[in-house]
């Protein structure tokens, strides 16, 4: 399983990347959500079943949330509306403009502390997944996967003072499907990488 030290090493700034996609829901360790997988391109990750990718925040557009409230409404004989609530389901959409097609010049082969191979130059500023990594994940996931979200949603952890301390962590985990995916090659680079535009929409199971 990925350790807290690994995730800290992959975190360039004070907060993790806005989204992480994983094959499993992970675990809650000492109040921190950790993916219960190994990152794509981590050492020996190719021999393991469950993997994850941390998506770059480079040129990412806002993460849009839309809630579908599944319910049955009908008016009673007295004219009052009554609702039979079934569930709330989430849809998430976002896009990237001019995202490097690759995050590193070579296979980063991340070590146990989340540090890439010293010879692999980084093209995304935060080391998050490039266009090819995102496309590859889409092509390999016809079924559902887990989305880790890092935004201010302290209510997940309660309503006491300790709940407010989770800002620099993943705050929400949702099992989702791809409902829409598109990409375009905006510019082709000379000898390093291309620049891609990517748009994704995800729908909760």
């Amino acid at each position: 399983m990925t350790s807290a030290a690994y995730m800290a090493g992959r975190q360039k700034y004070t907060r993790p990347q806005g989204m992480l996609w994983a094959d499993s829901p992970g675990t809650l360790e000492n109040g921190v959500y950790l993916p219960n997988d190994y990152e794509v391109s981590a050492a020996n990750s190719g021999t393991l079943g469950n993997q994850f990718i941390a998506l770059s925040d480079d040129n990412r557009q806002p993460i849009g949330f839309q809630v579908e409230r599944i319910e049955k409404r009908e008016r009673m004989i007295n004219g009052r509306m009554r609702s039979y609530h079934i569930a709330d389901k989430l849809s998430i959409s976002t896009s990237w403009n001019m995202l490097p097609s690759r995050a590193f010049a070579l296979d980063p082969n991340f070590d146990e502390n989340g540090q890439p191979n010293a010879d692999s130059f980084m093209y995304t500023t935060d080391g998050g997944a490039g266009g090819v990594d995102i496309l590859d994940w889409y092509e390999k996931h016809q079924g559902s996967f887990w989305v880790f979200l890092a935004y201010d949603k302290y209510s997940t952890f309660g309503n006491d003072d300790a709940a407010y301390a989770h800002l620099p962590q993943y705050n929400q985990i949702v099992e989702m499907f791809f409902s829409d995916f598109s990409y375009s090659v905006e510019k082709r680079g000379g000898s390093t990488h291309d620049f891609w535009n990517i748009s994704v929409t995800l729908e909760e199971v």
Side-chain angles (χ1 to χ4, degrees):
M1 185 188 77
T2 299
S3 66
Y6 181 94
M7 295 305 295
R10 287 288 287 118
Q11 184 175 313
K12 182 177 180 180
Y13 305 111
T14 56
R15 300 175 67 180
Q17 290 91 345
M19 282 199 297
L20 179 149
W21 295 346
D23 285 327
S24 68
T27 57
L28 187 62
E29 182 178 310
N30 297 322
V32 179
Y33 285 114
L34 297 174
N36 195 23
D37 312 302
Y38 288 84
E39 186 168 12
V40 173
S41 295
N44 301 320
S45 64
T47 63
L48 305 167
N50 290 338
Q51 297 183 325
F52 72 87
I53 57 172
L55 280 67
S56 178
D57 284 330
D58 285 6
N59 294 332
R60 179 182 52 72
Q61 303 307 297
I63 300 174
F65 297 87
Q66 182 174 347
V67 179
E68 178 187 6
R69 178 150 290 179
I70 303 171
E71 60 185 348
K72 180 180 180 182
R73 292 183 181 179
E74 59 182 339
R75 291 197 180 276
M76 301 296 99
I77 193 169
N78 64 357
R80 182 178 177 84
M81 180 74 77
R82 178 173 292 181
S83 172
Y84 299 91
H85 179 257
I86 299 170
D88 288 344
K89 293 298 180 179
L90 187 66
S91 292
I92 296 175
S93 60
T94 192
S95 61
W96 292 261
N97 295 329
M98 298 288 287
L99 178 69
S101 56
R102 58 180 68 186
F104 293 88
L106 302 171
D107 185 349
N109 199 31
F110 301 111
D111 64 20
E112 61 184 9
N113 294 314
Q115 297 302 304
N117 184 329
D119 295 329
S120 188
F121 185 81
M122 190 164 65
Y123 294 136
T124 56
T125 61
D126 55 4
V132 175
D133 302 309
I134 296 174
L135 175 61
D136 185 61
W137 185 274
Y138 170 74
E139 292 176 338
K140 292 179 179 177
H141 288 80
Q142 289 78 33
S144 65
F145 57 96
W146 296 86
V147 178
F148 288 57
L149 296 160
Y151 69 105
D152 190 10
K153 195 170 186 289
Y154 61 84
S155 58
T156 300
F157 301 94
N159 57 6
D160 56 5
D161 288 345
Y164 285 75
H166 292 274
L167 183 63
Q169 301 163 8
Y170 290 104
N171 281 223
Q172 186 177 11
I173 302 173
V174 187
E175 186 179 7
M176 311 194 83
F177 289 99
F178 283 108
S179 64
D180 187 69
F181 185 96
S182 64
Y183 72 101
S184 62
V185 179
E186 182 73 12
K187 290 185 178 181
R188 294 189 302 149
S191 59
T192 55
H193 58 81
D194 296 339
F195 285 103
W196 288 21
N197 298 332
I198 299 179
S199 177
V200 299
T201 302
L202 308 172
E203 185 174 0
E204 187 174 0
V205 299

